[in-house]
């Protein structure tokens, strides 16, 4: 059974993608920091006769990635990676704390880069595979009170576009996904968005992504932007 590893699979978009990929017959490796959330997703997959395992992982921690991915590379038939885990801190740029800035860069940018580097050798050996980078419309254009988040997402865009060129013809596909607002826990500790219920559901966005996976770039604009 081919395995797809999804970071941030315990909630929001990552969870919905995990459920849909499971229905397509993939084994899921559900990665994130909160094991309780991942356990619930694993249970939901198994209740629908799918297969999933949990990977407790903080993608800001390079040592944690190296140690755990070494074992995973041997144990599973890795086919795909979804770099979905991401965080956002919003507000006037001058008020961003050093901690907020480094957390966004370490999670959104370095986490994505390190996870990709940890998995690429396996895919390269096999000559096929798929890496899906969940970006945001914040990776397409600047936005007020989102400067550092936008910077982190532009970085992932540049990273993805470069690897698309570098690995052309290798059999490994890189997908860049740019979506507008989604109604997920992402906004729970923020006042930046007043009513997240007007956004698309993560399930709706996950369905669109799965249907457009033959494309290297998927853009899903907000319904009400
Ligand atoms: N919601 C939106 O409006 C929106 C719009 C465009 C793009 N996006 C992007 O979509 C992606 C998914 O976000 P979402 O909306 O589904 O939000 P979410 O429900 O908050 O999901 C993010 C997941 O990432 C995990 N995570 C955060 N930091 C992590 C770390 N250091 N290591 C491992 N896992 C970590 C979180 O779980 P733990 O805290 O348990 O680790 C959480 O399950 C993000 O990249 C986000 O930037 C969101």
């Amino acid at each position: 059974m081919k395995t797809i590893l999804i970071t941030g699979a315990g909630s929001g978009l990552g969870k919905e993608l995990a459920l849909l990929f499971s229905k397509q017959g993939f084994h899921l490796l559900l990665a994130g920091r909160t094991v309780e959330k991942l356990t619930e997703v694993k249970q939901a997959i198994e209740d629908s006769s799918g297969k999933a395992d949990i990977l407790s992982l903080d993608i800001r921690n390079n040592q944690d990635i190296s140690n755990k991915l070494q074992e995973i590379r041997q144990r599973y038939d890795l086919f795909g990676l979804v770099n979905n885990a991401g965080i956002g801190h919003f507000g006037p740029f001058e008020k961003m704390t050093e901690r907020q800035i480094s957390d966004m860069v370490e999670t959104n940018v370095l986490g994505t880069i390190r996870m990709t580097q940890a998995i690429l050798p396996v895919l390269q050996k096999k000559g096929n595979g798929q890496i899906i980078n969940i970006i945001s419309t914040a990776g397409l254009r600047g936005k007020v009170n989102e400067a550092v988040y936008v910077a982190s997402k532009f970085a992932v865009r540049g990273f993805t576009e470069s690897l698309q060129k570098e690995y052309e013809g290798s059999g490994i596909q890189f997908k860049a996904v740019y979506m507008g607002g989604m109604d997920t826990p992402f906004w729970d500790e923020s006042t930046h968005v007043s009513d997240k219920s007007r956004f698309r559901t993560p399930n709706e966005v996950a369905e669109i992504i799965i249907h457009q996976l033959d494309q290297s770039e998927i853009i899903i604009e907000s319904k009400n932007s």
Side-chain angles (χ1 to χ4, degrees), residues 193-222:
V193 160
S194 53
D195 177 18
K196 66 173 184 164
S197 70
R198 67 193 167 92
F199 289 153
R200 289 183 199 275
T201 66
N203 173 262
E204 187 183 352
V205 173
E207 294 267 9
I208 297 171
I209 293 170
I210 299 281
H211 282 111
Q212 294 190 18
L213 267 185
D214 54 331
Q215 297 173 30
S216 57
E217 186 181 83
I218 300 169
I219 298 179
I220 309 163
E221 291 289 355
S222 279

Side-chain angles (χ1 to χ4, degrees), residues 7-15 31-35 37-38 57-61 83-88 106-108 134-138 149 153 177-187 193 199 202:
T7 64
S11 62
L13 181 64
K15 171 184 174 179
R33 294 171 300 179
T34 314
V35 170
K37 293 193 298 185
L38 300 171
L57 181 69
D58 183 340
I59 63 163
R60 294 171 301 179
N61 183 336
N83 282 309
N84 164 78
I87 57 161
E106 280 173 21
T107 309
N108 303 355
I134 301 303
I135 309 179
S136 163
T137 51
Y149 179 70
K153 294 296 188 175
V177 188
Y178 306 95
M179 70 284 291
M182 296 183 286
D183 183 356
T184 71
F186 184 83
W187 300 109
V193 160
F199 289 153

Side-chain angles (χ1 to χ4, degrees):
M1 209 171 181
K2 286 183 176 176
T3 295
I4 294 185
L5 193 168
I6 303 183
T7 64
S11 62
L13 181 64
K15 171 184 174 179
E16 298 301 329
L17 283 171
L19 296 172
L20 292 180
F21 275 125
S22 169
K23 284 189 185 137
Q24 293 191 338
F26 289 100
H27 164 258
L28 270 301
L29 206 40
L30 309 167
R33 294 171 300 179
T34 314
V35 170
E36 294 75 26
K37 293 193 298 185
L38 300 171
T39 305
E40 280 176 28
V41 180
K42 175 176 155 73
Q43 192 60 53
I45 287 174
E46 289 173 351
D47 287 348
S48 312
S49 307
K51 284 198 162 46
D53 287 299
I54 287 170
L55 173 61
S56 166
L57 181 69
D58 183 340
I59 63 163
R60 294 171 301 179
N61 183 336
N62 197 29
Q63 197 56 52
D64 202 19
I65 293 176
S66 299
N67 295 343
K68 289 179 178 157
L69 266 290
Q70 200 172 353
E71 192 194 327
I72 279 159
R73 282 194 294 255
Q74 285 158 11
R75 191 188 295 183
Y76 300 102
D77 180 12
L78 277 171
F79 170 76
L81 166 67
V82 185
N83 282 309
N84 164 78
I87 57 161
H89 296 290
F90 305 101
F93 170 62
E94 286 179 38
K95 295 203 169 141
M96 281 286 125
T97 65
E98 171 55 27
R99 180 65 187 269
Q100 290 174 321
I101 293 169
S102 58
D103 262 1
M104 277 187 280
V105 173
E106 280 173 21
T107 309
N108 303 355
V109 185
L110 295 181
T112 296
I113 290 173
R114 287 168 174 158
M115 286 300 296
T116 303
Q117 205 175 34
I119 277 178
L120 257 178
V122 185
L123 306 186
Q124 225 175 347
K125 213 172 190 178
K126 292 181 190 158
N128 68 26
Q130 210 165 69
I131 296 186
I132 302 167
N133 288 340
I134 301 303
I135 309 179
S136 163
T137 51
L140 296 175
R141 52 184 176 266
K143 302 184 188 214
V144 175
N145 288 337
E146 301 195 16
V148 181
Y149 179 70
V150 165
S152 74
K153 294 296 188 175
F154 265 63
V156 180
R157 175 187 181 178
F159 176 63
T160 313
E161 287 183 5
S162 299
L163 293 183
Q164 284 170 343
K165 293 178 198 292
E166 193 169 326
Y167 284 84
E168 201 172 357
S170 69
I172 304 167
Q173 297 177 325
F174 292 86
K175 316 282 179 185
V177 188
Y178 306 95
M179 70 284 291
M182 296 183 286
D183 183 356
T184 71
F186 184 83
W187 300 109
D188 285 355
E189 278 157 39
S190 165
T191 52
H192 187 55
V193 160
S194 53
D195 177 18
K196 66 173 184 164
S197 70
R198 67 193 167 92
F199 289 153
R200 289 183 199 275
T201 66
N203 173 262
E204 187 183 352
V205 173
E207 294 267 9
I208 297 171
I209 293 170
I210 299 281
H211 282 111
Q212 294 190 18
L213 267 185
D214 54 331
Q215 297 173 30
S216 57
E217 186 181 83
I218 300 169
I219 298 179
I220 309 163
E221 291 289 355
S222 279
K223 275 199 285 202
N224 302 300
S225 59

